Amino acid sequence: MPELPEVETTRRALAPVLEGKRLARVHVARDRMTRRNERTADVIDRLTGRRVLELGRHGKFIVGRVEGDLRLVVHLGMSGRMQIAQAADDLAPHTNVVFGLEDGTEVRFVDPRTFGFVAVFTIEEMARSTVSGLGPDALDDLPTSKHLASVLAGRLAPIKALLLDQRIIAGLGNIYADEVLHRSRIRPDRAGGDLTWTEVKRLRASVRPVLRAGLRHGGTSLDDLAYLLPDGRAGEYVDRLQVYGRADRPCKTCGTPVERVVIAGRSSHYCPHCQR
DNA sequence: AACGATCCCTGTTGGC
DNA sequence: TGCCAACAGGGATCGT
């Protein structure tokens, strides 16, 4: 599932291919992918002939600067992945958007479930979009424990749900939220406002190590149909997951069977012995 | 305001 | 064995 480590891995692979290059041709095979713009033609017309100046990221959103004060916003959704290919190469199934460069290189957005999207915004549109409502980036701009404690104070929602709220911290998804909570030794169903100061500090201290570990291993590929690296390789962090997807299997720390519960409509995995 | 539920979408999985 | 319902999940939206 593309979360911060997968998105950052993707961004790092695409940056040298796209930065400074002119988009000669933009093809959209599924209109749903451009639903954040009024019309598909807006995406195509605004990008065609313009150069991508810089490729950045905020949480799970890839945000590129494009000539003409435009922003290219890409979200991989849950099944999206980018491919770097040549124009003559066969198209993979569900290739929904193609960015063609002048030298024949193509960046292809493959997304079977179409939860991902491509948008091109003006600065004004950007300010009205959800991207501007994102909380600080979980890796590059992680809030202090103090700030985190003040945001969590009084909140009754389970900490797992709050970690998934992109307005609080941007970048954690279902997998890494579970992993962060395991490293923090905090049960996912604890009310956010009930965490002690010590627990908030432990939580804060766990976020970046977990994300960096994911990043080091190219992210998490649960199966080869969902997220893959732009070169086609699978992310290998899946082998190092402590709890996510490991229901009824032994906790790697203590051997207690991992439990699976549903919190805020998402499956949550935790060790009932390590996490209190 | 905060929080939970529902929907979107399609490949995969589990049950009968 | 074969079919179909259930499931997975990020984010938008809606109801309470």
Side-chain angles (χ1 to χ4, degrees):
Chain A
M1 249 33 77
E3 301 179 26
L4 191 153
E6 292 76 28
V7 175
E8 176 61 13
T9 300
T10 300
R11 187 201 67 79
R12 289 180 185 179
L14 296 186
V17 175
L18 286 177
E19 285 181 347
K21 305 289 174 49
R22 198 175 300 279
L23 298 171
R25 171 181 165 270
V26 177
H27 180 251
V28 177
R30 287 196 65 165
D31 284 338
R32 177 173 148 79
M33 299 299 287
T34 58
R35 62 193 178 280
R36 294 274 174 263
N37 278 98
E38 263 183 59
R39 290 174 293 271
T40 294
D42 291 339
V43 170
I44 296 171
D45 295 346
R46 288 173 172 186
L47 290 180
T48 305
R50 291 210 166 94
R51 282 184 305 170
V52 178
L53 303 174
E54 184 187 22
L55 214 55
R57 180 191 57 75
H58 189 166
K60 304 174 205 174
F61 294 74
I62 292 174
V63 181
R65 286 198 304 120
V66 175
E67 280 182 321
D69 278 336
L70 294 169
R71 297 291 180 270
L72 168 63
V73 179
V74 176
H75 197 293
L76 298 177
M78 72 166 285
S79 61
R81 61 177 192 264
M82 289 292 179
Q83 291 181 338
I84 299 165
Q86 296 304 308
D89 296 342
D90 288 343
L91 280 185
H94 306 293
T95 300
N96 297 339
V97 182
V98 176
F99 304 92
L101 305 182
E102 291 174 304
D103 66 358
T105 301
E106 289 185 347
V107 171
R108 299 173 176 176
F109 191 174
V110 178
D111 185 10
R113 287 173 209 183
T114 67
F115 277 35
F117 65 84
V118 172
V120 185
F121 291 143
T122 62
I123 302 302
E124 298 76 47
E125 289 166 344
M126 193 72 180
R128 282 187 271 111
S129 81
T130 54
V131 184
S132 66
L134 291 174
D137 187 78
L139 187 66
D140 298 339
D141 200 16
L142 185 64
T144 61
S145 301
K146 205 184 234 180
H147 178 266
L148 220 45
S150 75
V151 170
L152 296 180
R155 298 294 295 261
L156 298 174
I159 185 62
K160 168 67 181 288
L162 298 175
L163 288 180
L164 292 178
D165 186 342
Q166 304 298 299
R167 295 167 302 184
I168 297 177
I169 302 178
L172 293 178
N174 209 32
I175 297 174
Y176 292 96
D178 279 1
E179 296 296 308
V180 165
L181 286 170
H182 181 263
R183 188 182 173 104
S184 312
R185 312 199 305 277
I186 297 168
R187 281 173 61 110
D189 56 357
R190 291 276 304 286
D194 282 352
L195 298 194
T196 66
W197 171 241
T198 308
E199 288 172 331
V200 172
K201 280 198 291 187
R202 231 161 49 215
L203 181 67
R204 198 266 176 190
S206 300
V207 172
R208 288 197 285 211
V210 166
L211 294 176
R212 287 196 185 112
L215 203 43
R216 262 202 309 282
H217 295 94
T220 304
S221 296
L222 292 180
D223 55 66
D224 55 10
L225 277 158
Y227 165 79
L228 293 174
L229 277 70
D231 61 11
R233 283 161 47 227
E236 293 173 349
Y237 194 62
V238 62
D239 300 324
R240 291 181 154 74
L241 294 176
Q242 300 296 303
V243 285
Y244 184 86
R246 293 181 49 81
D248 301 327
R249 296 172 64 196
C251 168
K252 290 182 180 177
T253 303
C254 75
T256 304
V258 170
E259 289 199 19
R260 177 188 178 280
V261 294
V262 174
I263 298 174
R266 298 284 177 259
S267 65
S268 301
H269 311 74
Y270 71 99
C271 169
H273 182 258
C274 295
Q275 297 172 255
R276 304 295 181 138

